[in-house]
Coordinates of all heavy atoms in Angstrom, one line a residue:
E1 N -11.2 -6.4 6.0 CA -10.7 -7.7 6.4 C -10.1 -8.4 5.2 O -8.9 -9.0 5.4 CB -11.9 -8.5 6.9 CG -12.4 -8.0 8.3 CD -13.6 -8.7 8.9 OE1 -14.3 -9.2 8.0 OE2 -13.7 -8.8 10.1
A2 N -10.6 -8.4 4.1 CA -10.1 -9.1 2.9 C -8.7 -8.4 2.5 O -7.9 -9.1 2.0 CB -11.1 -9.0 1.7
M3 N -8.7 -7.2 2.7 CA -7.4 -6.4 2.3 C -6.3 -6.6 3.3 O -5.2 -6.4 3.1 CB -7.7 -4.9 2.2 CG -8.5 -4.5 1.0 SD -9.0 -2.7 1.2 CE -7.4 -2.0 1.2
G4 N -6.7 -7.0 4.6 CA -5.7 -7.3 5.6 C -5.4 -6.0 6.2 O -4.2 -5.8 6.7
S5 N -6.2 -4.9 6.1 CA -5.9 -3.7 6.7 C -6.3 -3.6 8.2 O -7.5 -3.4 8.6 CB -6.8 -2.6 6.0 OG -6.7 -1.3 6.6
K6 N -5.3 -3.8 9.0 CA -5.6 -3.8 10.5 C -6.1 -2.5 10.9 O -7.1 -2.4 11.8 CB -4.3 -4.1 11.2 CG -4.4 -4.4 12.7 CD -3.2 -4.6 13.4 CE -2.6 -6.1 13.1 NZ -1.5 -6.4 13.9
L7 N -5.6 -1.4 10.4 CA -6.1 -0.1 10.8 C -7.5 0.1 10.4 O -8.3 0.6 11.2 CB -5.1 1.1 10.1 CG -5.5 2.5 10.4 CD1 -5.4 2.9 11.8 CD2 -4.8 3.4 9.4
G8 N -7.8 -0.1 9.1 CA -9.2 -0.1 8.7 C -10.1 -0.9 9.5 O -11.3 -0.4 9.8
V9 N -9.8 -2.1 9.8 CA -10.7 -3.0 10.6 C -10.9 -2.4 12.0 O -12.0 -2.4 12.5 CB -10.1 -4.4 10.7 CG1 -10.7 -5.2 11.8 CG2 -10.1 -5.1 9.3
A10 N -9.8 -1.9 12.6 CA -9.9 -1.3 13.9 C -10.9 0.0 13.9 O -11.7 0.1 14.8 CB -8.6 -0.8 14.4
Y11 N -10.8 0.7 12.9 CA -11.7 1.9 12.8 C -13.1 1.5 12.5 O -14.0 2.1 13.0 CB -11.2 2.8 11.6 CG -10.0 3.7 12.0 CD1 -9.4 3.6 13.2 CD2 -9.5 4.5 11.0 CE1 -8.3 4.4 13.5 CE2 -8.3 5.3 11.3 CZ -7.7 5.2 12.6 OH -6.6 6.0 12.8
S12 N -13.3 0.4 11.7 CA -14.6 -0.1 11.6 C -15.3 -0.6 12.8 O -16.5 -0.3 13.1 CB -14.6 -1.2 10.5 OG -14.4 -0.7 9.2
Y13 N -14.5 -1.3 13.6 CA -15.0 -1.8 14.8 C -15.5 -0.6 15.7 O -16.5 -0.7 16.4 CB -14.0 -2.6 15.7 CG -13.7 -4.0 15.1 CD1 -12.4 -4.6 15.3 CD2 -14.7 -4.7 14.4 CE1 -12.2 -5.8 14.7 CE2 -14.4 -6.0 14.0 CZ -13.2 -6.6 14.1 OH -13.0 -7.8 13.6
L14 N -14.7 0.4 15.7 CA -15.1 1.6 16.5 C -16.3 2.3 16.0 O -17.3 2.6 16.8 CB -13.9 2.7 16.4 CG -14.1 4.0 17.1 CD1 -14.5 3.7 18.7 CD2 -12.8 4.9 17.1
N15 N -16.4 2.4 14.7 CA -17.6 2.9 14.2 C -18.9 2.0 14.5 O -19.9 2.6 14.7 CB -17.5 3.1 12.7 CG -16.6 4.3 12.3 OD1 -16.4 5.2 13.2 ND2 -16.0 4.3 11.0
L16 N -18.7 0.7 14.3 CA -19.8 -0.2 14.6 C -20.2 -0.2 16.0 O -21.3 -0.3 16.3 CB -19.3 -1.7 14.2 CG -19.3 -1.9 12.7 CD1 -18.5 -3.2 12.4 CD2 -20.6 -1.9 12.0
G17 N -19.2 0.0 16.9 CA -19.6 0.2 18.3 C -20.5 1.4 18.6 O -21.5 1.3 19.2
N18 N -20.1 2.5 17.9 CA -21.0 3.7 18.1 C -22.4 3.5 17.5 O -23.4 3.8 18.1 CB -20.3 4.9 17.2 CG -19.0 5.3 17.8 OD1 -18.8 5.1 19.1 ND2 -18.2 6.0 17.1
I19 N -22.6 2.7 16.4 CA -23.8 2.4 15.8 C -24.6 1.5 16.6 O -25.8 1.8 16.9 CB -23.7 1.8 14.4 CG1 -23.1 2.8 13.4 CG2 -25.0 1.2 13.9 CD1 -22.6 2.3 12.1
H20 N -24.0 0.4 17.2 CA -24.8 -0.4 18.1 C -25.3 0.4 19.3 O -26.3 0.0 19.9 CB -24.0 -1.6 18.5 CG -23.9 -2.7 17.4 ND1 -25.0 -3.3 16.7 CD2 -22.8 -3.1 16.7 CE1 -24.6 -4.0 15.8 NE2 -23.2 -4.0 15.7
F21 N -24.5 1.3 19.9 CA -24.8 2.0 21.0 C -26.0 2.9 20.7 O -27.0 2.9 21.4 CB -23.7 3.0 21.5 CG -24.1 3.9 22.6 CD1 -24.1 3.4 23.9 CD2 -24.5 5.2 22.3 CE1 -24.5 4.3 24.9 CE2 -24.8 6.1 23.4 CZ -24.9 5.5 24.7
R22 N -26.1 3.5 19.4 CA -27.2 4.3 19.1 C -28.5 3.4 18.9 O -29.6 3.8 19.1 CB -26.9 5.0 17.8 CG -25.9 6.1 18.0 CD -25.9 7.0 16.8 NE -24.9 8.1 17.0 CZ -24.9 9.2 16.2 NH1 -25.8 9.4 15.2 NH2 -24.1 10.2 16.5
L23 N -28.3 2.2 18.4 CA -29.3 1.2 18.3 C -29.8 0.6 19.7 O -30.8 -0.1 19.7 CB -28.9 0.0 17.4 CG -28.9 0.4 16.0 CD1 -28.2 -0.8 15.2 CD2 -30.2 0.8 15.3
G24 N -29.1 1.0 20.7 CA -29.5 0.6 22.1 C -29.0 -0.8 22.5 O -29.5 -1.4 23.5
D25 N -28.1 -1.4 21.7 CA -27.5 -2.7 22.1 C -26.2 -2.5 22.8 O -25.1 -2.5 22.1 CB -27.4 -3.5 20.8 CG -27.2 -5.0 21.1 OD1 -26.6 -5.3 22.1 OD2 -27.6 -5.8 20.3
D26 N -26.2 -2.3 24.0 CA -24.9 -2.0 24.8 C -23.9 -3.2 24.7 O -22.7 -3.0 24.6 CB -25.2 -1.7 26.2 CG -25.7 -0.3 26.4 OD1 -25.7 0.5 25.5 OD2 -26.1 0.0 27.5
D27 N -24.4 -4.4 24.7 CA -23.5 -5.6 24.7 C -22.8 -5.7 23.4 O -21.6 -6.0 23.3 CB -24.3 -6.8 24.9 CG -24.8 -7.0 26.4 OD1 -24.1 -6.4 27.3 OD2 -25.8 -7.6 26.6
K28 N -23.5 -5.5 22.3 CA -22.8 -5.5 21.0 C -21.9 -4.3 20.8 O -20.7 -4.6 20.3 CB -23.8 -5.4 19.8 CG -24.5 -6.8 19.5 CD -25.3 -6.7 18.2 CE -25.9 -8.1 17.9 NZ -26.8 -8.0 16.7
A29 N -22.3 -3.2 21.3 CA -21.4 -2.0 21.3 C -20.1 -2.3 22.0 O -18.9 -2.0 21.5 CB -22.0 -0.8 21.8
L30 N -20.3 -2.8 23.3 CA -19.0 -3.2 24.0 C -18.1 -4.2 23.3 O -16.9 -4.0 23.4 CB -19.6 -3.7 25.4 CG -18.5 -3.9 26.6 CD1 -18.1 -2.5 26.9 CD2 -19.2 -4.5 27.8
G31 N -18.7 -5.1 22.7 CA -17.9 -6.2 22.0 C -17.1 -5.5 20.8 O -15.9 -5.9 20.6
E32 N -17.7 -4.6 20.1 CA -17.0 -3.8 19.0 C -15.9 -3.0 19.5 O -14.8 -2.9 19.0 CB -18.0 -3.1 18.2 CG -19.1 -3.8 17.5 CD -18.6 -4.8 16.4 OE1 -17.4 -4.9 16.1 OE2 -19.5 -5.5 15.8
Y33 N -16.2 -2.2 20.7 CA -15.2 -1.4 21.2 C -14.0 -2.2 21.6 O -12.8 -1.8 21.5 CB -15.7 -0.5 22.4 CG -16.7 0.5 21.9 CD1 -17.8 0.8 22.7 CD2 -16.4 1.3 20.9 CE1 -18.7 1.7 22.4 CE2 -17.3 2.3 20.5 CZ -18.4 2.5 21.2 OH -19.3 3.5 20.9
K34 N -14.3 -3.4 22.2 CA -13.1 -4.2 22.8 C -12.3 -4.8 21.6 O -11.0 -4.7 21.8 CB -13.8 -5.5 23.5 CG -12.7 -6.5 24.1 CD -11.9 -5.8 25.2 CE -11.0 -6.8 25.9 NZ -10.1 -7.5 25.1
R35 N -12.9 -5.1 20.5 CA -12.1 -5.6 19.4 C -11.3 -4.4 18.9 O -10.2 -4.5 18.4 CB -13.1 -6.0 18.3 CG -13.9 -7.3 18.5 CD -14.7 -7.8 17.4 NE -15.4 -8.9 17.7 CZ -16.7 -8.8 18.2 NH1 -17.4 -7.7 18.3 NH2 -17.5 -9.9 18.5
S36 N -11.9 -3.2 18.7 CA -11.2 -2.0 18.3 C -10.1 -1.7 19.3 O -8.9 -1.4 18.8 CB -12.1 -0.8 18.2 OG -11.4 0.4 17.6
L37 N -10.3 -1.8 20.5 CA -9.3 -1.5 21.6 C -8.1 -2.4 21.4 O -6.9 -1.9 21.5 CB -9.9 -1.6 23.0 CG -9.0 -1.3 24.2 CD1 -8.6 0.2 24.2 CD2 -9.7 -1.7 25.5
D38 N -8.3 -3.7 21.3 CA -7.1 -4.6 21.1 C -6.3 -4.3 19.9 O -5.0 -4.3 20.1 CB -7.8 -6.0 21.0 CG -8.3 -6.5 22.3 OD1 -8.1 -5.9 23.4 OD2 -9.0 -7.5 22.3
L39 N -6.9 -3.9 18.8 CA -6.1 -3.5 17.7 C -5.4 -2.2 17.8 O -4.3 -2.1 17.4 CB -7.0 -3.5 16.4 CG -7.4 -4.9 16.0 CD1 -8.5 -4.7 14.8 CD2 -6.3 -5.7 15.4
M40 N -6.1 -1.2 18.4 CA -5.5 0.0 18.7 C -4.3 -0.1 19.5 O -3.2 0.6 19.4 CB -6.5 1.0 19.3 CG -7.7 1.3 18.5 SD -7.4 2.1 16.9 CE -9.1 2.4 16.3
Y41 N -4.3 -0.9 20.5 CA -3.2 -1.2 21.5 C -2.1 -1.7 20.7 O -0.9 -1.3 20.8 CB -3.6 -2.1 22.5 CG -4.1 -1.6 23.9 CD1 -5.2 -1.9 24.4 CD2 -3.4 -0.4 24.5 CE1 -5.7 -1.3 25.6 CE2 -3.8 0.1 25.6 CZ -5.0 -0.3 26.2 OH -5.5 0.3 27.3
E42 N -2.3 -2.7 19.7 CA -1.3 -3.3 18.9 C -0.6 -2.2 18.1 O 0.7 -2.3 17.9 CB -2.0 -4.4 18.1 CG -2.2 -5.7 18.7 CD -2.8 -6.7 17.8 OE1 -2.4 -6.6 16.6 OE2 -3.6 -7.6 18.1
M43 N -1.4 -1.3 17.5 CA -0.8 -0.3 16.6 C -0.3 0.9 17.3 O 0.3 1.8 16.6 CB -1.8 0.1 15.5 CG -2.3 -1.1 14.6 SD -3.5 -0.6 13.5 CE -4.9 -0.3 14.5
G44 N -0.6 1.0 18.6 CA -0.1 2.2 19.4 C -0.9 3.5 19.0 O -0.4 4.6 19.1
D45 N -2.1 3.3 18.6 CA -3.0 4.4 18.3 C -3.6 4.9 19.7 O -4.8 4.7 19.9 CB -4.1 4.1 17.2 CG -4.8 5.3 16.7 OD1 -4.8 6.3 17.4 OD2 -5.3 5.2 15.6

């Protein structure tokens, strides 16, 4: 985030979503995936 790396931030959100899912917190996982999804759409990934 400090670097302004949109790609890196999007990937971090995706990874964090996976982690929250493993921790059993579906709501947090869903939020992270949504943040990642929005950035992935912007970048065309």
Side-chain angles (χ1 to χ4, degrees):
E1 287 175 333
M3 291 172 58
S5 172
K6 186 180 289 188
L7 179 66
V9 169
Y11 284 0
S12 283
Y13 287 150
L14 177 55
N15 286 340
L16 288 167
N18 292 338
I19 290 170
H20 285 303
F21 176 81
R22 291 194 178 194
L23 288 170
D25 194 331
D26 283 354
D27 288 335
K28 279 190 177 179
L30 195 59
E32 299 291 1
Y33 289 137
K34 180 64 168 62
R35 292 184 186 94
S36 182
L37 180 66
D38 290 344
L39 289 174
M40 297 299 186
Y41 270 129
E42 283 184 30
M43 294 181 292
D45 191 339

